Amino acid sequence: MDYLTRLESDEAWRQEEFPVTRNKVFLAHAAVTTLPRVVGEAMKEYTDRSMTGDLEISRVFTDELDEARQSCADLIGAASKDEIALLGPTSLGLSLVAEGLPWQGGDEIVGYFDDYPANVYPWMSLKRQGVSVRFLEPETPGAITLDLVKAAVTSQTRMVALASANFLSGYRIDVDAIGAYLQERGILFCVDGIQSVGAFPTPVTHADFLSADAHKWMLGPMAAGMVYVRRELQDTLRPVLLGAWNVKSPQFIAQEKIEFEAGARRYEPGVLNAVGIVGMQASLNLLQSIGVPAISERLLSLKKILVSGLEEREFVVLSPREGASASAITTFSHPSRDLGALYRFFSENGVVASFRFDRGGKAYLRFSPHFYNTAAEFERVFELIDRWLAG
């Protein structure tokens, strides 16, 4: 019996592997994940080591960091672990790209104003250097297509900066197609990958930069993550955070010349979030043992159950229902009922969801289950909704 099949047939085992399921229905992985058992135990084992040993000579500073870099590279299809810096949160990686490139007055960045703010403010801040920022205007939230990008770029466009999936609607862009188009035109492509990495394939074959923290779909702890920098651009993207780890300092003695370490290590200025990286490595091992394509297939099958049940109860689903733009995020509204009240009702009854608003102030609820959630849990959610609607 494979892992995903066992989740539906062995509830005791599922609750052991994902302890949150013992008393909650957790549907908020697009916010901050709950940790699987293997992740929590890996972090606990590391902290136990920390109480009894010399951390400076621990494997975590040698083999384990390289293992984590390789796992991150494998997950997104990077050419080498040397293209991965072990930095989180996502905003840090995006800011390093924004501040480290040699911009010139008149350069243009194309982005999306209603992306998560972490993928908006770093680009807006470049206006002080004479860089202009143009924002795409899709017809529905997050619905950014290749045609929309094609229509927006100009001869002045130096970079396109987009999220792989929109945090509100869950619309998933075609990272590879957009990246290939931009690469042909010599336009850089930076991806905020936090809403898809771990849940859906997010290839960097045609991306130049990607940043993603582990605390959503990778099922890892907060402030551990990855920053991908294409090897060919590492001499162009200057590190803006400097320390003893990324500037060569033999025997920890400062040198007269700043010379960076090879590969993406040049973006890691000092001691890393070791316990978080250990936890992230455990979560990546879990994801890769199942396989991201299999996870994606399951997430879309669970989505069908959610969408069907919501629409039967007259909720209006904002998110794409199926196809290449669909993700594990299902965001919905109601034409007449107070979603804030439903959110509070869920919280009182052990259902963890997210309450969000669009720019116009319209309220939405967002479900974002992961592969370990089950149809039986959704039945519980719909029972609660029926009680709430009847009340």
Side-chain angles (χ1 to χ4, degrees), residues 185-202:
R185 284 150 186 81
I187 299 172
L188 298 172
F189 187 28
C190 182
V191 179
D192 172 353
I194 196 170
Q195 289 293 4
S196 67
V197 174
F200 290 86
T202 309

Side-chain angles (χ1 to χ4, degrees), residues 15 25-27 53-54 57 64 83 91 98-99 101 158 198 201 205 212 225 233 297 309 318 329 336 345:
Q15 290 184 13
V25 178
F26 192 91
L27 304 176
D54 181 354
I57 60 173
E64 291 181 43
E83 296 182 317
S91 56
E99 298 299 324
L101 286 172
R158 177 88 183 279
T205 309
L233 292 169
E297 182 179 355
L318 173 67
I329 293 173
S336 60
F345 184 71

Side-chain angles (χ1 to χ4, degrees), residues 45-84:
E45 191 274 335
Y46 173 78
T47 58
D48 286 345
R49 273 192 281 159
S50 302
M51 293 187 293
T52 58
D54 181 354
L55 292 183
E56 189 169 350
I57 60 173
S58 166
R59 276 190 70 246
V60 76
F61 290 107
T62 53
D63 298 347
E64 291 181 43
L65 290 182
D66 265 353
E67 289 168 8
R69 291 189 184 96
Q70 187 62 59
S71 293
C72 290
D74 292 342
L75 188 63
I76 61 175
S80 165
K81 63 181 175 61
D82 293 329
E83 296 182 317
I84 302 295

Side-chain angles (χ1 to χ4, degrees), residues 68-353:
R69 291 189 184 96
Q70 187 62 59
S71 293
C72 290
D74 292 342
L75 188 63
I76 61 175
S80 165
K81 63 181 175 61
D82 293 329
E83 296 182 317
I84 302 295
L86 296 176
L87 297 172
T90 305
S91 56
L92 176 58
L94 299 175
S95 294
L96 290 176
V97 173
E99 298 299 324
L101 286 172
W103 303 101
Q104 296 180 357
D107 284 344
E108 177 183 84
I109 296 173
V110 172
Y112 179 44
F113 198 44
D114 285 326
D115 265 344
Y116 194 73
N119 197 31
V120 177
Y121 294 142
W123 318 118
M124 288 177 59
S125 73
L126 296 174
K127 292 180 181 179
R128 73 188 190 280
Q129 297 187 39
V131 177
S132 63
V133 184
R134 296 177 59 240
F135 292 114
L136 300 169
E137 297 183 1
E139 293 183 0
T140 58
I144 295 172
T145 64
L146 175 58
D147 287 342
L148 191 65
V149 173
K150 286 181 176 181
V153 299
T154 71
S155 60
Q156 298 299 113
T157 305
R158 177 88 183 279
M159 172 183 284
V160 173
L162 298 173
S164 57
N166 183 257
F167 79 103
L168 178 63
S169 69
Y171 188 101
R172 190 159 51 93
I173 70 171
D174 191 335
V175 169
D176 211 36
I178 292 172
Y181 171 79
L182 297 174
Q183 193 173 76
E184 289 175 0
R185 284 150 186 81
I187 299 172
L188 298 172
F189 187 28
C190 182
V191 179
D192 172 353
I194 196 170
Q195 289 293 4
S196 67
V197 174
F200 290 86
T202 309
V204 294
T205 309
H206 297 108
D208 298 295
F209 312 102
L210 179 144
S211 186
D213 200 291
H215 72 262
K216 297 185 189 290
W217 301 100
M218 283 188 268
L219 296 174
M222 291 186 287
M226 70 175 85
V227 178
Y228 161 79
V229 180
R230 183 182 297 281
R231 181 190 297 274
E232 294 80 2
L233 292 169
Q234 290 176 4
D235 288 334
T236 302
L237 181 68
R238 182 175 176 82
V240 296
L241 302 175
L242 305 185
W245 278 38
N246 63 342
V247 180
K248 291 183 179 179
S249 306
Q251 302 302 320
F252 304 107
I253 298 171
Q255 305 296 294
E256 293 183 0
K257 181 181 178 181
I258 291 178
E259 184 179 353
F260 293 111
E261 294 287 352
R265 279 192 56 210
R266 69 184 60 200
Y267 306 107
E268 302 170 353
V271 174
L272 300 175
N273 175 14
V275 66
I277 292 169
V278 167
M280 179 177 72
Q281 175 64 21
S283 68
L284 295 182
N285 287 342
L286 173 61
L287 295 175
Q288 291 170 331
S289 70
I290 301 169
V292 173
I295 291 171
S296 303
E297 182 179 355
R298 178 170 174 85
L299 290 175
L300 291 178
S301 69
L302 291 174
K303 186 184 190 76
K304 289 181 180 179
I305 300 172
L306 280 179
V307 169
S308 176
L310 289 168
E311 292 185 334
E312 285 176 9
R313 291 160 176 83
E314 300 184 347
F315 290 93
V316 179
V317 176
L318 173 67
S319 306
R321 292 157 176 75
E322 58 186 1
S325 61
S327 72
I329 293 173
T330 300
T331 303
F332 55 95
S333 61
H334 195 279
S336 60
R337 301 300 293 264
D338 177 6
L339 290 184
L342 177 55
Y343 174 73
R344 292 188 292 274
F345 184 71
F346 278 153
S347 299
E348 292 164 0
N349 288 276
V351 174
V352 183

